[in-house]
Amino acid sequence: MKQSSCGGGSRALVPGFSVLQPLLALLSVLVMAGAAAAHAVAEGDKGYIQEISGTNLIPFVYLGAKHMVTGYDHLLFLFGVIFFLYRLKHIGIYVSLFAVGHSTTMLLGVYYGWNVSSYLIDAIIGLSVVYKALDNLGAYQRWFGFQPNTKVATLIFGFFHGLGLATKILEYDIAEDGLIPNLLAFNVGVEIGQLIALTVILIAMSYWRKTSSFLRHAYTANVIMMTAGFVLIGYQLTGYFVA
């Protein structure tokens, strides 16, 4: 498995026999929650947005933060991105690239009304989780003899994550009156939610990395994350072909 830095090196991991409980719980949720799509718009939130018009900054900041904090696919990808990043400088670089990517396509997608299938976009988001787990496992170097540019990949997948957000925002059927400031407020909320989630993940990771079991369980954790990504891909593609 690869130990990431801005340059990206690699080293082997020893598979552990214990399973990281939080990731197992997350995988169980993904497997059993077949009736709910990623980032499903709550009916209460949707009804509220459809009833209001004009500039409403606070509600949209709240919705953006809620959307990110409850977006397990985004959180899985972020978890994978920072898994082997130890320096705050490196974490900041990758998280910033991800933020630039998803902010760009989220704002443009909603403003221009890009009508992209949410099933296909969410399947690609699931693919991003698989990609990052395999990257952490050092699979590309073993299989193909080269290491993909992790910064470029993070930015590109950020674009797709932003499109995923855009498809969900369009479900709100936001009024044209006050659209731009409301979208910017939503984006601010997304960044706040991302910061909150990232802080929690980093705190948990910092304690886990101090234990002697980290390297033994890191292999298992990334395999579980990869499996969760495949589950998400399968669920979304099934929805696309069946719906």
Side-chain angles (χ1 to χ4, degrees), residues 45-180:
D45 293 339
K46 185 174 181 179
Y48 172 74
I49 293 302
Q50 290 174 339
E51 291 176 0
I52 63 175
S53 62
T55 302
N56 296 273
L57 301 182
I58 300 302
F60 278 94
V61 169
Y62 165 76
L63 288 171
K66 177 182 178 182
H67 218 57
M68 177 57 76
V69 171
T70 59
Y72 54 79
D73 45 4
H74 293 310
L75 298 183
L76 271 176
F77 182 72
L78 277 176
F79 176 75
V81 167
I82 69 169
F83 198 91
F84 284 119
L85 294 179
Y86 292 86
R87 297 182 180 179
L88 288 178
K89 175 184 176 181
H90 296 165
I91 292 172
I93 290 173
Y94 281 90
V95 172
S96 296
L97 287 170
F98 181 64
V100 169
H102 72 65
S103 296
T104 300
T105 48
M106 184 196 74
L107 294 172
L108 292 177
V110 176
Y111 184 77
Y112 290 106
W114 292 345
N115 190 17
V116 184
S117 169
S118 61
Y119 287 112
L120 292 181
I121 294 299
D122 284 341
I124 294 174
I125 291 174
L127 178 63
S128 73
V129 175
V130 173
Y131 159 82
K132 194 55 201 172
L134 288 173
D135 187 38
N136 289 342
L137 291 168
Y140 306 116
Q141 291 180 341
R142 291 198 305 271
W143 295 348
F144 308 114
F146 77 97
Q147 173 60 45
N149 189 310
T150 53
K151 294 192 188 72
V152 173
T154 300
L155 178 63
I156 291 174
F157 280 123
F159 289 144
F160 284 106
H161 280 251
L163 277 178
L165 286 170
T167 60
K168 302 309 174 184
I169 297 173
L170 288 172
E171 293 181 24
Y172 286 124
D173 195 18
I174 302 174
E176 291 290 331
D177 184 19
L179 177 61
I180 298 300

Side-chain angles (χ1 to χ4, degrees), residues 30-44:
L30 285 173
V31 172
M32 293 186 295
H39 295 287
V41 177
E43 287 300 319

